[in-house]
Amino acid sequence: MTKFDIEISEVGPRDGLQSISAIMSTEDKIAWIDALVAAGIPEIEVGSFVPATLLPQLADTHQLVEHAKQYKGLSIAVLVPNLRGAQNALKTSPTKMSIPLSVSETHSLRNVKRTHKQMLEEVANIAQFIKSLPVENRPKFEGGLATAFGCTIEGSVNEDSVVSLAVALMEAGCDEVGLSDTTGSGNPAQVKRLIKKVWAAVGKENLSGIHLHNTRGQGLANALAAIEVGITTVDSSMGGIGGCPAAPGASGNIVTEDLVFMLEAMGLRTGINFEKLFEAREILAKALPNEQLYGFTPNAGLPKGFKYAR
């Protein structure tokens, strides 16, 4: 796929679905993924390799990875909680594999039942396992710094701790790190400041993406702040579905449809077609009729005379 100004990583099939009780059928997920690809979404996080007993909503992730591999150029992302999950994921050869390391250790214990030390050991073991694979089967390995902007359990998070854990993740073998506002606590000034601090510690080339939640209505403002300082990949979720089961009160991700409108209206190319994006939303709405979908752009429509960025 063509490289555009900002890459949208659609996380709805993973982050969106893991936080709702309804189980979307594999058939509907496949139709949704197909529609997202048709809309021009360059990266899709199709699921997570966690035990089905914990997240039955994501039990078919391996099937979704295999299906998505038919699309040449599509970045297929998955999340893994530990080495075992990574080994299962690597059997399917995804493009990108992320592991969450919560800066809040309390959140880490609740989310993956591991301390920072234990998680870094998992990361090192995964990195070593990846190196044992043929080069063509090695995914990009990202360490996601969860609760980087605040925690609903511990409260404020020390920025120096975020930086030190970013360094530790790179030293343990990650190819890159990502910043996650898991609880929607961040603000634009904080976003800019923390990105610059992490860049200074690990290099700008090792932090290109950010994952934001809209819990307090700051999602798009935070995305814009990140883009203004140079972030090039932004996670979002169609309809704003999602959240974090381990973080009380953490509501959904920023809305893909609204994010794309903001970027295209600003003259930043995303490569995404709105007509087809809205068609993908209809598939999601029909598959999950009892779930509320958010977004101003789908409801208001595109303004008269709207033109895509060139």
Side-chain angles (χ1 to χ4, degrees):
M1 291 187 178
T2 306
K3 180 68 176 177
F4 291 96
D5 296 321
I6 302 296
E7 180 177 270
I8 304 298
S9 180
E10 172 60 49
V11 301
R14 195 279 301 175
D15 198 351
L17 298 183
Q18 76 171 13
S19 302
I20 62 178
S21 57
I23 296 179
M24 191 173 179
S25 72
T26 303
E27 182 180 11
D28 285 336
K29 289 181 185 179
I30 286 174
W32 185 23
I33 289 170
D34 290 345
L36 289 169
V37 173
I41 297 288
E43 179 173 281
I44 304 174
E45 189 178 41
V46 300
S48 175
F49 283 86
V50 298
T53 52
L54 296 177
L55 287 177
Q57 302 95 321
L58 307 181
D60 54 0
T61 296
H62 65 290
Q63 294 170 256
L64 301 180
V65 174
E66 292 296 341
H67 175 79
K69 283 160 68 173
Q70 70 180 288
Y71 294 110
K72 185 178 180 180
L74 175 68
S75 177
I76 306 165
V78 298
L79 182 139
V80 300
N82 50 38
L83 175 60
R84 183 172 181 179
Q87 290 171 330
N88 289 332
L90 291 168
K91 292 175 184 177
T92 66
S93 299
T95 314
K96 178 180 175 181
M97 188 170 69
S98 299
I99 187 168
L101 174 60
S102 301
V103 183
S104 161
E105 198 158 38
T106 307
H107 182 270
S108 181
L109 289 167
R110 182 173 294 189
N111 190 41
V112 292
K113 296 180 174 58
R114 284 172 173 79
T115 63
H116 288 162
K117 181 180 178 181
Q118 290 170 326
M119 282 302 292
L120 289 169
E121 289 173 353
E122 292 285 340
V123 169
N125 289 333
I126 292 170
Q128 192 63 36
F129 187 80
I130 290 174
K131 289 179 181 179
S132 71
L133 301 174
V135 174
E136 63 272 17
N137 293 337
R138 297 177 189 176
K140 181 181 289 185
F141 184 30
E142 179 194 62
L145 289 156
T147 65
F149 298 91
C151 176
T152 53
I153 308 167
E154 289 189 4
S156 61
V157 169
N158 187 290
E159 292 182 0
D160 290 340
S161 296
V162 179
V163 174
S164 64
L165 286 174
V167 172
L169 282 169
M170 294 301 298
E171 290 177 346
C174 285
D175 298 312
E176 62 182 12
V177 296
L179 292 176
S180 298
D181 188 10
T182 313
T183 63
S185 302
N187 64 73
Q190 182 186 16
V191 167
K192 289 183 177 182
R193 186 174 63 246
L194 191 54
I195 289 170
K196 291 176 181 178
K197 285 186 176 182
V198 174
W199 275 345
V202 303
K204 192 171 184 178
E205 70 279 7
N206 294 320
L207 167 61
S208 61
I210 193 164
H211 179 99
L212 301 164
H213 284 230
N214 198 41
T215 311
R216 293 168 179 82
Q218 303 300 299
L220 284 182
N222 288 338
L224 180 57
I227 290 164
E228 285 179 342
V229 295
I231 287 294
T232 55
T233 299
V234 182
D235 292 1
S236 61
S237 176
M238 177 159 280
I241 60 174
C244 178
S251 57
N253 301 269
I254 52 177
V255 178
T256 299
E257 301 92 315
D258 289 344
L259 174 64
V260 173
F261 174 73
M262 180 184 77
L263 296 173
E264 290 285 341
M266 290 174 60
L268 294 171
R269 297 170 302 147
T270 64
I272 295 171
N273 178 279
F274 273 110
E275 181 178 336
K276 294 186 179 298
L277 192 66
F278 293 157
E279 290 175 4
R281 181 184 172 102
E282 290 178 8
I283 291 173
L284 177 62
K286 289 178 181 178
L288 298 174
N290 296 320
E291 293 299 323
Q292 183 174 1
L293 301 185
Y294 301 92
F296 292 99
T297 305
N299 293 329
L302 298 176
K304 186 175 180 178
F306 172 80
K307 294 182 179 180
Y308 288 94
R310 296 182 183 276

